[in-house]
Amino acid sequence: MTDPAVTYSGYLKVDELLSLQQPRSQGPEHDEMLFIVIHQVYELWFKELLHEFDRVRRMLEDHESDSVHRAQHTLKRILTILKVMVAQLDILETMTPLEFLTFRQRLEAASGFQSDQFRQIEFLLGVKAEPSIRRFPEGSRARVALQQRYGEPTLWDAFLHYLSREGYDVPPPLLARDVVAAIEPSSHVQRILVEVYRRDTKNAELCERLVDLDEGVQEWRYRHVKMVERTIGAKPGTGGSAGAAYLRETIGRPLFPDLWEIRSQL
Ligand code: HEM
């Protein structure tokens, strides 16, 4: 017996996909569809980003000579996705505060705050917090994934190991650092990075892509806060935080502080 021919909708599971948008408001309220679709699109982008980040990290750990070029190529894709993710906030900003209020109370305590994939991305980038894991039920997909990422080296760790393999004198305690700890500035790493920027074009390019990434994540956070401010003002969030005031505290914190620190030393 031959397999049935592959079709567009069969391959992409279009019927299943289109059955996943289920508004909670009566009517339902017109704008709830946009709200659901855009969040689902973000979750798909988060999934794709994690897929690509894992590849970049593997490539930086790889000993093949051209792996840095492939890592850069993948980082370029990540940065392009990030730009699209920031731009997509424009769509949600077409929803006015009153339009959001037509269904907001139906969200109850649901909030992007509970996105495990967003936390996975943060973990991978070195922003790790154990309470984020405990929010999910034991044995759930989200908790298992977060637990796994919590113990894994961050992208910065992979980068430090890569620099060491490239012949730079990264201090052994930094190579063996606790991958759960926050990424702190290091004057030793800064001296290495200044050297890279002055004499090593290939790796300086890689550093610039990491700065793009850091700036891109901060840009998303900034745009999200502004969207929150214009949509709900100073009201608390559905996730139970102070809302925009909480989110404002998360902006402007660099992921890779050494890469910013050296700008004034060049
Ligand atoms: C009208 C649109 C939106 C509003 C009013 C809004 C509001 C908020 C608020 C107030 C918070 C703080 C946590 C809380 O208490 O709920 C938050 C967090 C968050 N939101 Fe949104 N949000 C919106 C759209 C989105 C979209 C489209 C995404 C995409 C996935 C998103 C992702 C997140 C994430 C990841 C957090 C956690 C940020 C962190 O802890 O650093 N939000 N949001």
Side-chain angles (χ1 to χ4, degrees):
M1 229 180 76
T2 53
D3 287 337
V6 178
T7 62
Y8 176 84
S9 63
Y11 176 60
L12 296 173
K13 309 245 179 284
V14 174
D15 288 349
E16 289 91 324
L17 190 63
L18 297 182
S19 70
L20 297 176
Q21 295 71 42
Q22 294 164 9
R24 301 196 76 231
S25 60
Q26 293 302 318
E29 292 294 344
H30 181 82
D31 288 74
E32 194 177 354
M33 181 61 84
L34 171 66
F35 191 78
I36 293 173
V37 167
I38 204 144
H39 279 86
Q40 289 183 340
V41 168
Y42 271 108
E43 286 296 329
L44 288 175
W45 282 133
F46 291 159
K47 180 172 185 170
E48 176 63 17
L49 280 184
L50 287 163
H51 184 62
E52 301 293 349
F53 272 131
D54 282 338
R55 181 187 229 199
V56 173
R57 208 180 37 184
R58 262 199 320 276
M59 283 169 173
L60 289 177
E61 286 160 358
D62 198 351
H63 292 247
E64 300 283 320
S65 60
D66 70 334
S67 61
V68 69
H69 292 114
R70 290 186 292 132
Q72 288 222 45
H73 174 71
T74 308
L75 267 173
K76 181 90 195 352
R77 177 179 296 170
I78 289 173
L79 295 168
T80 311
I81 294 172
L82 209 49
K83 288 258 173 254
V84 168
M85 286 171 57
V86 171
Q88 268 176 204
L89 289 172
D90 289 348
I91 307 174
L92 205 48
E93 283 187 341
T94 64
M95 181 177 71
T96 67
L98 288 179
E99 284 167 341
F100 185 41
L101 282 176
T102 60
F103 62 90
R104 189 183 187 214
Q105 85 276 16
R106 302 306 306 264
L107 304 178
E108 297 177 9
S111 162
F113 190 74
Q114 298 152 349
S115 165
D116 72 279
Q117 292 203 105
F118 182 80
R119 298 294 168 217
Q120 286 189 55
I121 293 172
E122 285 192 321
F123 281 16
L124 191 138
L125 295 175
V127 184
K128 294 186 182 178
E130 220 180 356
S132 304
I133 305 176
R134 280 186 260 115
R135 273 190 212 108
F136 296 93
E138 201 117 22
S140 61
R141 174 203 54 78
R143 184 151 172 165
V144 171
L146 277 167
Q147 257 158 351
Q148 157 118 19
R149 296 221 176 258
Y150 193 69
E152 280 176 3
T154 69
L155 188 62
W156 185 249
D157 292 304
F159 174 66
L160 290 181
H161 279 265
Y162 166 76
L163 284 180
S164 165
R165 279 205 323 281
E166 285 285 285
Y168 290 99
D169 163 36
V170 181
L174 270 180
L175 293 174
R177 79 173 200 108
D178 177 5
V179 295
V180 162
I183 297 168
E184 300 289 352
S186 149
S187 53
H188 201 121
V189 172
Q190 286 165 31
R191 276 199 295 281
I192 292 173
L193 291 174
V194 168
E195 175 87 6
V196 168
Y197 269 80
R198 290 201 175 129
R199 288 183 241 294
D200 180 351
T201 333
K202 176 187 77 173
N203 289 318
E205 276 292 309
L206 177 61
C207 291
E208 284 297 280
R209 296 297 75 76
L210 292 177
V211 175
D212 288 340
L213 171 63
D214 196 333
E215 195 175 347
V217 171
Q218 292 186 55
E219 195 183 351
W220 186 86
R221 288 191 195 275
Y222 171 79
R223 283 293 316 275
H224 174 260
V225 178
K226 286 291 147 196
M227 181 186 66
V228 171
E229 285 174 350
R230 68 185 279 173
T231 312
I232 62 167
K235 292 179 198 168
T238 47
S241 82
Y246 153 73
L247 292 167
R248 274 195 296 270
E249 284 169 24
T250 67
I251 330 181
R253 287 191 204 148
L255 296 168
F256 314 126
D258 288 329
L259 282 171
W260 295 92
E261 207 52 56
I262 57 152
R263 312 271 135 183
S264 34
Q265 300 172 30
L266 290 171

